[in-house]
Amino acid sequence: MRAAPEPFLLAQQLARAGRLAEARAAYARSVDAHPDFLPGYLALSGLAAHQGDDTTALAVLRAALARADGNAAARHAVRRPLAELLAALRPARFDAALEADLLTCLTDDQLDPQPLARVTAALLLHTQPASNHPLWRAFLTRCINTHPAMEACLVALRNSLLLSGDASAPLLPLLALQAFAGQYVWAAPAIAAEGALAALVHPPTELPGDPAWQPLADRVRELAAERELAPRIASFAPDADDLSGQIRRQYEEHPYPRWQAPPASRRTDLRQILERLPGIDRAALPQPPLRLLVAGCGTGYEALDLARMDSSLSVTAIDLSRASLAFARRKADALGIANIRFVRGDILALAALGERFHIATSTGVLHHMADPEAGLASIAGVLPPGGVIRLALYSHRARAPVRAAHALIAERGWQADADGIHAFRAHILALPAGDPLAVLRDSDDFYSLSGCRDLAFHVQERHYRFPEIGALVAGAGLRLVGFDPLPEAMARFGEKHGQHADPLDPALWDAVEAEHPFLFARMIPFWCQKPA
């Protein structure tokens, strides 16, 4: 590996000391003096983005891409931060440079394309749809649309094709793939569809042999492979109660989410991450090799991320849904991940596994249980003293629009089927921008049938305030050892309470969230430890 040049090392020292303006100037000198040293570009761009100067950050990454031409590994290293920058943009007009940036990211099959769906849609709305347009093709084949105006455009294109009856239209295979990827979440058309055109409105049973239909044929084959895998998934316990059965049936019908690109492969010693938690009892931490339980793994994204991150881990991932586990198993096999197994069963029956684990994660699961306290107790029961659990729960403040949606759904009598979801979405899409429920259009989950069901039609959902999280942890006989929020939330905490405030105090976090109610729009993530 090439040694870092002196200006780069100086910039790193300045950045660590908090002298960011000087660090940025030093990084710029490093890039000027050593234009082939890629880390200099990445560091300069990252610091500019941290300071809110996205224009400079983008320009630096574009220069880095030009320097890395012909080096696939280097170009991929640049595309990852480039994609993160692009995802936040909302272009008001066509921009050829942005088009090139988006295309280079969307054609990298190691990058998750979905975060780029909204910015790509916003740009494409300033162009004419065409099957031979590279960015339109990349968008329709790799992303699920998450832009309401683009949805209206795509639905109009679908209806136009159905009216014309033209089964040879070049856009048809691409539009059919987009409809399939969203699980036919668009409102059903009043126009009958036959032959190849029927793929626009329901899953195809037969497809033309034309190569243009191959991407959709591949997706259909993936579903068939998962149906073959599902019965072979081992099971350790039946559903614990009727609610577990209802939740299982929800995800059997539509595993969620059906992700495409895997997490970035980042090699990390998980125990080192645990040792950095502010309240952790390091002496009580289990020693490697570590056994990790993912309690409620869904389609496996987090479980596979952990297994790839630390190959010394032995990962057991459980879920109620065989269909979800089959999706995860197919992805694990494709990635060649050997240190993971998938088992069907109920969190409430973990003791039936007859195994012990050193670490457990349960992201977005307990808040869907009738008795979250019993679920946490079951997880804690299979950990030894010193074992660690990572949880993530819905925020009461951030989920206020979802609670309003639940009330609306109950009032209108909409069911959690395709007709009910279509009716709900039509109502939300028609709302003026200032309506409190219009914010649901900003959720990616709104744009697929399984996502919308999970967002607004879940059979059981509970929301938490920070003090309730503290009580949940204490009630299970555990110790809160760290919150794990996004950098923005950490910055808000520091701004309000100072750098020396106790990061384990739920009341301090509650005060921050009171001022920024959507700060934990995803979930509130935190760590707890079983006392030694």
Side-chain angles (χ1 to χ4, degrees), residues 149-170:
M150 177 57 81
E151 178 169 329
C153 172
L154 296 176
V155 169
L157 284 171
R158 179 199 66 180
N159 292 346
S160 176
L161 285 175
L162 292 174
L163 278 171
S164 72
D166 184 4
S168 63

Side-chain angles (χ1 to χ4, degrees), residues 118 146-149 398 400-405 408 424-447 455 518:
R118 193 162 295 222
T146 56
H147 193 300
V402 174
R403 286 195 299 279
L408 174 68
F424 168 73
R425 294 187 77 257
H427 178 89
I428 300 300
L429 286 167
L431 292 173
D435 190 284
L437 280 175
V439 71
L440 295 174
R441 299 194 293 249
D442 295 335
S443 170
D444 285 2
D445 286 343
F446 185 73
Y447 296 89
L455 173 69
F518 292 102

Side-chain angles (χ1 to χ4, degrees), residues 111-437:
L111 282 179
D112 182 1
Q114 197 52 41
L116 295 172
R118 193 162 295 222
V119 59
T120 306
L123 184 67
L124 289 175
L125 285 168
H126 300 286
T127 69
Q128 290 297 315
S131 63
N132 60 354
H133 189 295
L135 190 58
W136 269 101
R137 175 173 289 276
F139 172 69
L140 291 173
T141 56
R142 298 216 67 211
C143 299
I144 296 174
N145 172 59
T146 56
H147 193 300
M150 177 57 81
E151 178 169 329
C153 172
L154 296 176
V155 169
L157 284 171
R158 179 199 66 180
N159 292 346
S160 176
L161 285 175
L162 292 174
L163 278 171
S164 72
D166 184 4
S168 63
L171 269 173
L172 175 57
L174 301 179
L175 203 57
L177 176 59
Q178 182 68 201
F180 179 88
Q183 299 145 346
Y184 305 95
V185 74
W186 305 334
I191 310 152
E194 297 179 355
L197 289 165
L200 292 170
V201 294
H202 58 69
T205 55
E206 188 175 351
L207 288 171
D210 190 298
W213 288 91
Q214 192 60 46
L216 179 53
D218 290 341
R219 297 285 185 90
V220 172
R221 273 196 291 273
E222 288 173 357
L223 279 179
E226 289 163 25
R227 284 193 289 269
E228 290 184 7
L229 281 171
R232 302 204 294 269
I233 300 289
S235 180
F236 68 88
D239 299 338
D241 52 31
D242 182 60
L243 179 60
S244 292
Q246 292 180 57
I247 293 172
R248 173 179 52 79
R249 288 189 290 274
Q250 174 177 329
Y251 292 113
E252 292 287 14
E253 183 177 356
H254 283 301
Y256 162 85
R258 292 189 67 86
W259 50 274
Q260 293 188 56
S265 182
R266 47 196 174 93
R267 303 298 179 184
T268 307
D269 183 335
L270 183 56
R271 196 176 192 280
Q272 291 181 4
I273 294 176
L274 300 180
E275 289 174 347
R276 291 195 292 267
L277 293 172
I280 201 75
D281 181 352
R282 294 176 179 82
L285 280 175
Q287 294 297 318
L290 300 175
R291 293 172 54 80
L292 184 145
L293 170 70
V294 183
C297 70
T299 51
Y301 190 88
E302 180 188 28
L304 297 182
D305 184 22
L306 290 164
R308 295 175 87 202
M309 181 177 75
D310 187 343
S311 59
S312 72
L313 293 174
S314 174
V315 180
T316 296
I318 74 156
D319 199 81
L320 287 168
S321 163
R322 286 187 183 276
S324 297
L325 292 167
F327 180 98
R329 177 77 271 169
R330 179 176 65 79
K331 288 289 193 177
D333 291 345
L335 292 167
I337 299 175
N339 60 324
I340 189 168
R341 63 169 178 151
F342 298 96
V343 192
R344 200 216 78 84
D346 197 313
I347 287 175
L348 293 173
L350 282 173
L353 272 171
E355 299 179 37
R356 302 282 275 179
F357 302 91
H358 304 110
I359 308 168
T361 70
S362 190
T363 301
V365 179
L366 293 185
H367 52 223
H368 289 314
M369 300 181 72
D371 188 348
E373 291 79 6
L376 182 53
S378 181
I379 296 171
V382 297
L383 265 63
V388 181
I389 305 173
R390 186 184 187 273
L391 302 170
L393 300 172
Y394 283 147
S395 158
H396 187 271
R397 289 188 177 97
R399 297 290 284 187
V402 174
R403 286 195 299 279
H406 291 165
L408 174 68
I409 289 165
E411 174 191 324
R412 300 296 178 90
W414 291 324
Q415 302 300 306
D417 55 19
D419 290 341
I421 293 171
H422 288 159
F424 168 73
R425 294 187 77 257
H427 178 89
I428 300 300
L429 286 167
L431 292 173
D435 190 284
L437 280 175

Side-chain angles (χ1 to χ4, degrees), residues 74-142:
R75 287 181 67 82
H76 176 70
V78 177
R79 286 178 185 137
R80 192 167 295 283
L82 176 62
E84 292 175 2
L85 276 175
L86 298 178
L89 301 180
R90 297 294 179 266
R93 62 186 63 84
F94 181 75
D95 182 332
L98 177 57
E99 178 186 36
D101 291 336
L102 290 168
L103 196 57
T104 195
C105 291
L106 288 174
T107 52
D108 185 336
D109 60 8
Q110 294 303 303
L111 282 179
D112 182 1
Q114 197 52 41
L116 295 172
R118 193 162 295 222
V119 59
T120 306
L123 184 67
L124 289 175
L125 285 168
H126 300 286
T127 69
Q128 290 297 315
S131 63
N132 60 354
H133 189 295
L135 190 58
W136 269 101
R137 175 173 289 276
F139 172 69
L140 291 173
T141 56
R142 298 216 67 211

Side-chain angles (χ1 to χ4, degrees), residues 432-504:
D435 190 284
L437 280 175
V439 71
L440 295 174
R441 299 194 293 249
D442 295 335
S443 170
D444 285 2
D445 286 343
F446 185 73
Y447 296 89
S448 69
L449 201 69
S450 61
C452 194
R453 181 183 283 120
D454 194 82
L455 173 69
F457 286 82
H458 205 287
V459 298
Q460 172 71 20
E461 185 169 310
R462 178 173 174 176
H463 306 148
Y464 285 82
R465 297 176 175 87
F466 275 90
E468 293 172 319
I469 287 175
L472 176 71
V473 172
L478 303 171
R479 294 174 50 251
L480 184 64
V481 296
F483 287 101
D484 192 18
L486 293 172
E488 180 189 358
M490 291 298 298
R492 298 292 188 190
F493 184 91
E495 290 168 5
K496 183 166 182 64
H497 300 299
Q499 298 303 316
H500 301 294
D502 182 5
L504 299 178

